[in-house]
Amino acid sequence: MDIFSAAVMLFLIMDPLGNLPIFASILRHIEPKKRRRVLIRELIFALIIMLLFLYAGEAILNFLNLRSESVSIAGGIILFLIAIRMIFPQPGGVVGLAAGEEPFIVPMAIPLMAGPSILAALILLAHTDSTRMMDWTLALLGAWGASAVILLFYKGFTKLLGDKGLTAVERLMGMVLVMISVQMFLDGIANYMAHTGQAN
């Protein structure tokens, strides 16, 4: 996987367009002067958390003695489940903040931006090829930067696309993510079969 492919995958998992309505509903109850400051702070928190998992993920896998094939298969399953939720969204809110309450790390940074799926994907990237950490870092920064721009200008995107447009784009992203997750799963199975065949 090259830098661009990794960045696209991470961007799709972050799902900034899917998070737009949620971010807008949270920020709506905060004083207008504070909104941009709060949003920037939460985006920075999310980036720090994701970088920590990118660089500490390999150590975690080594400690747990996990093989790359199992990580690839598990990552594919997780991404597939996330993609299904994007294509078939479930009703109900995802945050429980009181009106006017300022979010701090939760729920905007975690789990909306830096959720379990993106953290699992970062661990998978680090484990796939630990010699390319700079490539993965650039991919993460690119995906985070694109997501940050969309979320910082959430009002414009919401007006431009509308509710139906946002739903359509999120479902399209979900379809692409389904294909990526299936490929990850198949790659894991193929590598496992190849290693098993060599062992026998």
Side-chain angles (χ1 to χ4, degrees), residues 34-65:
K34 291 184 177 180
R35 287 175 187 170
R36 186 164 289 266
R37 176 178 60 81
V38 169
L39 184 52
I40 292 172
R41 183 191 68 203
E42 297 303 304
L43 288 171
I44 291 173
F45 277 142
L47 178 62
I48 292 171
I49 292 162
M50 288 187 286
L51 285 170
L52 282 173
F53 268 80
L54 177 63
Y55 282 90
E58 180 68 13
I60 294 171
L61 292 180
N62 290 336
F63 177 76
L64 296 174
N65 197 28

Short mmCIF file of all heavy atoms in Angstrom, two decimals, residues 34-65:
data_model
loop_
_atom_site.label_atom_id
_atom_site.label_comp_id
_atom_site.label_asym_id
_atom_site.label_seq_id
_atom_site.Cartn_x
_atom_site.Cartn_y
_atom_site.Cartn_z
N LYS A 34 -16.45 30.41 20.96
CA LYS A 34 -15.66 29.27 21.43
C LYS A 34 -15.64 28.11 20.44
O LYS A 34 -14.81 27.21 20.57
CB LYS A 34 -16.21 28.77 22.77
CG LYS A 34 -16.00 29.72 23.93
CD LYS A 34 -16.51 29.05 25.21
CE LYS A 34 -16.26 29.94 26.42
NZ LYS A 34 -16.75 29.29 27.66
N ARG A 35 -16.57 28.09 19.49
CA ARG A 35 -16.75 26.91 18.64
C ARG A 35 -15.49 26.49 17.91
O ARG A 35 -15.07 25.34 17.96
CB ARG A 35 -17.88 27.17 17.63
CG ARG A 35 -19.25 27.17 18.25
CD ARG A 35 -20.32 27.55 17.25
NE ARG A 35 -21.62 27.70 17.89
CZ ARG A 35 -22.68 28.21 17.30
NH1 ARG A 35 -22.60 28.62 16.03
NH2 ARG A 35 -23.83 28.31 17.95
N ARG A 36 -14.84 27.44 17.21
CA ARG A 36 -13.65 27.10 16.43
C ARG A 36 -12.51 26.65 17.34
O ARG A 36 -11.79 25.70 17.02
CB ARG A 36 -13.21 28.28 15.56
CG ARG A 36 -12.06 27.97 14.62
CD ARG A 36 -11.96 29.02 13.54
NE ARG A 36 -13.07 28.93 12.60
CZ ARG A 36 -13.01 28.23 11.46
NH1 ARG A 36 -11.93 27.58 11.13
NH2 ARG A 36 -14.05 28.20 10.65
N ARG A 37 -12.35 27.31 18.49
CA ARG A 37 -11.29 26.93 19.43
C ARG A 37 -11.51 25.52 19.95
O ARG A 37 -10.57 24.71 20.02
CB ARG A 37 -11.25 27.93 20.60
CG ARG A 37 -10.24 27.57 21.68
CD ARG A 37 -10.22 28.61 22.79
NE ARG A 37 -11.51 28.74 23.45
CZ ARG A 37 -11.94 27.92 24.40
NH1 ARG A 37 -11.20 26.87 24.78
NH2 ARG A 37 -13.10 28.11 24.96
N VAL A 38 -12.74 25.20 20.31
CA VAL A 38 -13.07 23.85 20.80
C VAL A 38 -12.81 22.81 19.72
O VAL A 38 -12.21 21.76 19.98
CB VAL A 38 -14.54 23.79 21.27
CG1 VAL A 38 -14.97 22.35 21.52
CG2 VAL A 38 -14.73 24.63 22.53
N LEU A 39 -13.24 23.11 18.50
CA LEU A 39 -13.08 22.15 17.41
C LEU A 39 -11.61 21.90 17.10
O LEU A 39 -11.19 20.74 16.95
CB LEU A 39 -13.79 22.69 16.16
CG LEU A 39 -13.80 21.78 14.93
CD1 LEU A 39 -14.31 20.39 15.27
CD2 LEU A 39 -14.64 22.40 13.82
N ILE A 40 -10.79 22.97 17.05
CA ILE A 40 -9.36 22.81 16.78
C ILE A 40 -8.69 22.01 17.89
O ILE A 40 -7.87 21.12 17.64
CB ILE A 40 -8.68 24.19 16.62
CG1 ILE A 40 -9.17 24.86 15.33
CG2 ILE A 40 -7.17 24.05 16.60
CD1 ILE A 40 -8.71 26.29 15.16
N ARG A 41 -9.06 22.30 19.14
CA ARG A 41 -8.48 21.57 20.27
C ARG A 41 -8.79 20.08 20.19
O ARG A 41 -7.91 19.24 20.39
CB ARG A 41 -9.04 22.14 21.58
CG ARG A 41 -8.46 21.51 22.85
CD ARG A 41 -9.24 21.94 24.06
NE ARG A 41 -10.59 21.38 24.04
CZ ARG A 41 -11.61 21.91 24.70
NH1 ARG A 41 -11.46 23.00 25.41
NH2 ARG A 41 -12.81 21.32 24.64
N GLU A 42 -10.03 19.75 19.87
CA GLU A 42 -10.42 18.34 19.79
C GLU A 42 -9.75 17.63 18.61
O GLU A 42 -9.37 16.46 18.72
CB GLU A 42 -11.95 18.22 19.66
CG GLU A 42 -12.71 18.76 20.85
CD GLU A 42 -12.31 18.10 22.16
OE1 GLU A 42 -12.38 16.86 22.24
OE2 GLU A 42 -11.91 18.82 23.10
N LEU A 43 -9.57 18.34 17.50
CA LEU A 43 -8.87 17.76 16.35
C LEU A 43 -7.41 17.47 16.69
O LEU A 43 -6.86 16.43 16.29
CB LEU A 43 -8.95 18.72 15.16
CG LEU A 43 -10.32 18.83 14.47
CD1 LEU A 43 -10.31 19.97 13.47
CD2 LEU A 43 -10.69 17.52 13.79
N ILE A 44 -6.77 18.36 17.43
CA ILE A 44 -5.37 18.15 17.83
C ILE A 44 -5.26 16.98 18.80
O ILE A 44 -4.35 16.14 18.70
CB ILE A 44 -4.79 19.44 18.46
CG1 ILE A 44 -4.64 20.51 17.37
CG2 ILE A 44 -3.44 19.17 19.11
CD1 ILE A 44 -4.25 21.88 17.89
N PHE A 45 -6.19 16.89 19.75
CA PHE A 45 -6.22 15.74 20.67
C PHE A 45 -6.32 14.43 19.88
O PHE A 45 -5.63 13.45 20.17
CB PHE A 45 -7.40 15.85 21.65
CG PHE A 45 -7.13 16.72 22.84
CD1 PHE A 45 -8.12 17.55 23.35
CD2 PHE A 45 -5.90 16.72 23.46
CE1 PHE A 45 -7.88 18.35 24.45
CE2 PHE A 45 -5.65 17.52 24.56
CZ PHE A 45 -6.65 18.34 25.06
N ALA A 46 -7.21 14.41 18.90
CA ALA A 46 -7.41 13.20 18.10
C ALA A 46 -6.13 12.82 17.36
O ALA A 46 -5.76 11.64 17.30
CB ALA A 46 -8.55 13.42 17.10
N LEU A 47 -5.45 13.82 16.79
CA LEU A 47 -4.20 13.55 16.06
C LEU A 47 -3.13 12.97 16.99
O LEU A 47 -2.44 12.00 16.63
CB LEU A 47 -3.69 14.84 15.41
CG LEU A 47 -2.36 14.71 14.65
CD1 LEU A 47 -2.48 13.73 13.50
CD2 LEU A 47 -1.89 16.07 14.14
N ILE A 48 -3.00 13.53 18.18
CA ILE A 48 -2.01 13.03 19.15
C ILE A 48 -2.29 11.57 19.51
O ILE A 48 -1.39 10.73 19.55
CB ILE A 48 -2.01 13.92 20.41
CG1 ILE A 48 -1.46 15.32 20.08
CG2 ILE A 48 -1.17 13.27 21.53
CD1 ILE A 48 -1.62 16.32 21.21
N ILE A 49 -3.56 11.26 19.75
CA ILE A 49 -3.95 9.90 20.11
C ILE A 49 -3.64 8.94 18.97
O ILE A 49 -3.11 7.83 19.18
CB ILE A 49 -5.44 9.85 20.48
CG1 ILE A 49 -5.67 10.63 21.79
CG2 ILE A 49 -5.93 8.41 20.63
CD1 ILE A 49 -7.10 11.02 22.02
N MET A 50 -3.96 9.35 17.74
CA MET A 50 -3.71 8.48 16.58
C MET A 50 -2.22 8.26 16.35
O MET A 50 -1.79 7.16 16.02
CB MET A 50 -4.38 9.07 15.34
CG MET A 50 -5.90 8.96 15.37
SD MET A 50 -6.74 9.47 13.84
CE MET A 50 -6.57 11.24 13.92
N LEU A 51 -1.40 9.29 16.54
CA LEU A 51 0.04 9.14 16.40
C LEU A 51 0.60 8.20 17.46
O LEU A 51 1.50 7.40 17.18
CB LEU A 51 0.73 10.51 16.48
CG LEU A 51 0.59 11.41 15.25
CD1 LEU A 51 1.11 12.82 15.55
CD2 LEU A 51 1.34 10.82 14.06
N LEU A 52 0.08 8.28 18.67
CA LEU A 52 0.52 7.38 19.74
C LEU A 52 0.24 5.93 19.37
O LEU A 52 1.09 5.06 19.55
CB LEU A 52 -0.18 7.74 21.05
CG LEU A 52 0.34 8.96 21.81
CD1 LEU A 52 -0.56 9.28 23.00
CD2 LEU A 52 1.78 8.72 22.29
N PHE A 53 -0.94 5.67 18.83
CA PHE A 53 -1.28 4.30 18.45
C PHE A 53 -0.48 3.84 17.24
O PHE A 53 -0.13 2.67 17.14
CB PHE A 53 -2.78 4.19 18.17
CG PHE A 53 -3.58 3.79 19.37
CD1 PHE A 53 -3.91 4.72 20.35
CD2 PHE A 53 -3.97 2.47 19.56
CE1 PHE A 53 -4.63 4.35 21.47
CE2 PHE A 53 -4.69 2.09 20.68
CZ PHE A 53 -5.02 3.03 21.64
N LEU A 54 -0.18 4.77 16.33
CA LEU A 54 0.62 4.40 15.16
C LEU A 54 2.01 3.94 15.59
O LEU A 54 2.53 2.93 15.08
CB LEU A 54 0.72 5.59 14.20
CG LEU A 54 1.59 5.37 12.95
CD1 LEU A 54 1.00 4.28 12.07
CD2 LEU A 54 1.72 6.67 12.16
N TYR A 55 2.62 4.64 16.53
CA TYR A 55 4.00 4.34 16.91
C TYR A 55 4.10 3.32 18.04
O TYR A 55 5.11 2.63 18.17
CB TYR A 55 4.74 5.63 17.29
CG TYR A 55 5.17 6.41 16.07
CD1 TYR A 55 4.34 7.36 15.50
CD2 TYR A 55 6.39 6.16 15.46
CE1 TYR A 55 4.72 8.06 14.36
CE2 TYR A 55 6.79 6.85 14.33
CZ TYR A 55 5.94 7.80 13.79
OH TYR A 55 6.32 8.49 12.65
N ALA A 56 3.06 3.22 18.86
CA ALA A 56 3.10 2.24 19.97
C ALA A 56 2.41 0.94 19.58
O ALA A 56 2.53 -0.06 20.29
CB ALA A 56 2.44 2.82 21.21
N GLY A 57 1.69 0.95 18.46
CA GLY A 57 0.93 -0.23 18.05
C GLY A 57 1.79 -1.45 17.82
O GLY A 57 1.44 -2.57 18.20
N GLU A 58 2.95 -1.26 17.18
CA GLU A 58 3.85 -2.39 16.89
C GLU A 58 4.34 -3.03 18.18
O GLU A 58 4.41 -4.26 18.29
CB GLU A 58 5.04 -1.88 16.06
CG GLU A 58 6.05 -2.96 15.69
CD GLU A 58 5.49 -3.98 14.71
OE1 GLU A 58 4.42 -3.73 14.13
OE2 GLU A 58 6.14 -5.03 14.54
N ALA A 59 4.66 -2.21 19.18
CA ALA A 59 5.11 -2.74 20.47
C ALA A 59 3.99 -3.55 21.14
O ALA A 59 4.25 -4.59 21.75
CB ALA A 59 5.54 -1.60 21.38
N ILE A 60 2.75 -3.07 20.99
CA ILE A 60 1.61 -3.79 21.56
C ILE A 60 1.46 -5.16 20.91
O ILE A 60 1.25 -6.17 21.59
CB ILE A 60 0.32 -2.96 21.39
CG1 ILE A 60 0.39 -1.67 22.21
CG2 ILE A 60 -0.91 -3.78 21.79
CD1 ILE A 60 -0.73 -0.69 21.94
N LEU A 61 1.56 -5.20 19.58
CA LEU A 61 1.42 -6.47 18.87
C LEU A 61 2.54 -7.44 19.22
O LEU A 61 2.31 -8.64 19.38
CB LEU A 61 1.40 -6.22 17.35
CG LEU A 61 0.16 -5.49 16.82
CD1 LEU A 61 0.27 -5.32 15.32
CD2 LEU A 61 -1.11 -6.23 17.18
N ASN A 62 3.77 -6.92 19.33
CA ASN A 62 4.90 -7.77 19.71
C ASN A 62 4.71 -8.34 21.12
O ASN A 62 5.02 -9.50 21.38
CB ASN A 62 6.21 -6.98 19.63
CG ASN A 62 6.61 -6.69 18.19
OD1 ASN A 62 6.21 -7.40 17.27
ND2 ASN A 62 7.38 -5.64 17.99
N PHE A 63 4.19 -7.49 22.01
CA PHE A 63 3.96 -7.93 23.39
C PHE A 63 2.90 -9.04 23.43
O PHE A 63 3.02 -10.00 24.20
CB PHE A 63 3.50 -6.74 24.24
CG PHE A 63 3.15 -7.10 25.66
CD1 PHE A 63 4.16 -7.37 26.59
CD2 PHE A 63 1.83 -7.19 26.06
CE1 PHE A 63 3.84 -7.72 27.89
CE2 PHE A 63 1.50 -7.53 27.36
CZ PHE A 63 2.51 -7.78 28.28
N LEU A 64 1.87 -8.91 22.58
CA LEU A 64 0.80 -9.91 22.53
C LEU A 64 1.14 -11.10 21.63
O LEU A 64 0.37 -12.05 21.55
CB LEU A 64 -0.50 -9.25 22.04
CG LEU A 64 -1.08 -8.17 22.93
CD1 LEU A 64 -2.28 -7.51 22.27
CD2 LEU A 64 -1.49 -8.75 24.29
N ASN A 65 2.29 -11.01 20.93
CA ASN A 65 2.76 -12.08 20.05
C ASN A 65 1.74 -12.41 18.96
O ASN A 65 1.43 -13.58 18.70
CB ASN A 65 3.08 -13.34 20.86
CG ASN A 65 3.95 -14.32 20.07
OD1 ASN A 65 4.71 -13.91 19.20
ND2 ASN A 65 3.83 -15.59 20.39
#
